[in-house]
Amino acid sequence: AQGFIHVNSTPDGFTIFQNDKNTGRLTPDSISYIEAGFYEIALKKKYFKDTVLTVTLNENEKLFLDIDISADPSMYGNLSLQTVPAGANIILNDSSLNKVTPSTLQNLLPGEYQIKFSLFNHRETEIEAIVQSSQTNSYTELLRDTSEWIDYQVFNSGIQSNSLTAIALDNNSTKWIGTLDRGLIRFDELSFQNFTTLNSPIPGNKINCISIDNQNRVWVGTDFGIGVYNGISWTIYNSDNSGLISETIKTMKFDSGGNCWIGTTANLVKFDGINWTVYNEPSSGDWINDIYIEALNNNWIGTKSNGIFIFENEIFTPVLQPAHNYPSKTISSIASDGLNNIWFCFLPDTAGRGGASYWNGSSFTNFLFGTPQNNINHIFIDGSDNKWFATSEGFLVLDPQNSSMLFNTFNSLISADNIGASARDENGNVWITTTGGGLNKYKPQP
């Protein structure tokens, strides 16, 4: 038997079946050395209707079949595309169609298509849509509103971790973000750059605190010392080359003289750029969780176990919790408002509860947010005297009159309820670090 059948198709790439048997060949190709007779030739391809034809092959005949599948209207399929809200631009395989949702795309060749939906103040969403012969397949996508809240997570952006701790903005409004597990992240609102122990000299991948000095250098506190990044290179301070006794750095603040005040899990440290001075507060060994510099020689100290101290002219004076009745002896964060009130955040401890309080020079005024177990992790006070509280039960703001508003995953599009810290940029946007939900950008409505 010397006959053969050459099968060509438009488009090509169809599997050739001969009398219901898969020949293993794709068009264009030939079935060779076959005897004369009747043959059923079928062309099959995923998502396409089968094309079947019967041919007669004579002795030693060379038969050429040219099958234009694209000429058969029943081969094509449709896509019905909808978004909530409607009105999104439809981009098909990176080509804009000048169509908006809802829309039906008709007479598409079967296959898999990349569809993007683009709508102002909503996150661009991409799906893979399947077209099948003689069918209309429907897709509906819910578009994420970004007019007020934008979340940057591992699944939807280039950020390297969803478990974030601290945040600080430098003089260029670049965001420096601490993580629990992946070191330091730099974000300029275009791309995320990650510094870890694998690709940089940074001392540790768990970032406890970040501060920016008057030279716009980034100071990072870890469990293994301090890393200072000047935009090009790193300087590392640890117990081997500095006055640090404990390498676990909880806070770093700069006074008007350029001194760096460092709170560790052992003591208070001052670094003037050359000399290291260590101060052991009265209950030596307590953690210093935060420092607020009120004046050049007057700091407020928040500890883990023994409440608040004033550190003035190198003398620690306790501001005792039983006498002043603030919420607990565990302070997490300190800041001051435009009226020179000193605000403190508290974590629950054995005797007290989570909360916030401000000192007006003579007494404390307490605010109890959420449940007694609520961790008030951080306070940031902006130039308009709004107090932004990062808590384990949501993100809470007190306006200048101390009226409160809580943002959580039930009443807003914030991506997680466990908040680590926040900062506000020059455009009024508030940047929020979460544990589990990545970075959030909140655009307050006028």
Side-chain angles (χ1 to χ4, degrees), residues 64 145 208 212 326 430:
F64 291 88
D145 187 326
N208 301 320
I212 311 295
Y326 47 78
V430 183

Side-chain angles (χ1 to χ4, degrees), residues 390-425:
T391 86
S392 58
E393 297 176 2
F395 189 52
L396 187 134
V397 59
L398 293 184
D399 69 12
Q401 289 73 46
N402 293 331
S403 298
S404 69
M405 182 184 294
L406 175 69
F407 301 103
N408 58 32
T409 51
F410 293 106
N411 69 10
S412 75
L413 290 177
I414 199 167
S415 61
D417 287 331
N418 195 359
I419 314 299
S422 69
R424 195 166 191 177
D425 68 23

Side-chain angles (χ1 to χ4, degrees), residues 248-434:
T248 304
I249 312 300
K250 302 298 288 181
T251 185
M252 294 177 291
K253 295 292 168 65
F254 295 93
D255 66 22
S256 58
N259 300 302
C260 183
W261 292 88
I262 303 158
T264 76
T265 52
N267 39 42
L268 176 68
V269 180
K270 183 175 85 168
F271 178 46
D272 65 9
I274 300 170
N275 304 300
W276 299 80
T277 310
V278 177
Y279 304 94
N280 290 318
E281 47 103 352
S283 49
S284 183
D286 199 358
W287 295 18
I288 295 186
N289 283 338
D290 204 12
I291 301 163
Y292 172 70
I293 297 166
E294 187 173 19
L296 191 54
N297 292 304
N298 183 11
N299 298 346
W300 291 79
I301 307 294
T303 71
K304 183 189 178 190
S305 304
N306 290 284
I308 299 166
F309 289 83
I310 296 172
F311 182 68
E312 189 170 11
N313 297 321
E314 305 199 351
I315 296 169
F316 288 96
T317 304
V319 182
L320 296 173
Q321 192 262 349
H324 291 92
N325 196 35
Y326 47 78
S328 87
K329 292 180 181 177
T330 303
I331 287 81
S332 55
S333 184
I334 315 173
S336 80
D337 65 21
L339 300 174
N340 295 320
N341 299 309
I342 313 292
W343 288 77
F344 300 86
C345 297
F346 301 91
L347 305 180
D349 59 16
T350 49
R353 56 160 291 158
S357 190
Y358 73 81
W359 169 258
N360 64 5
S362 57
S363 64
F364 285 88
T365 301
N366 295 335
F367 295 83
L368 305 178
F369 308 131
T371 69
Q373 291 73 44
N374 192 8
N375 291 317
I376 315 301
N377 295 315
H378 182 263
I379 180 173
F380 168 72
I381 302 179
D382 65 26
S384 302
D385 241 14
N386 299 295
K387 279 73 69 177
W388 303 90
F389 291 96
T391 86
S392 58
E393 297 176 2
F395 189 52
L396 187 134
V397 59
L398 293 184
D399 69 12
Q401 289 73 46
N402 293 331
S403 298
S404 69
M405 182 184 294
L406 175 69
F407 301 103
N408 58 32
T409 51
F410 293 106
N411 69 10
S412 75
L413 290 177
I414 199 167
S415 61
D417 287 331
N418 195 359
I419 314 299
S422 69
R424 195 166 191 177
D425 68 23
E426 59 200 0
N427 298 316
N429 301 309
V430 183
W431 297 84
I432 303 153
T433 59
T434 77

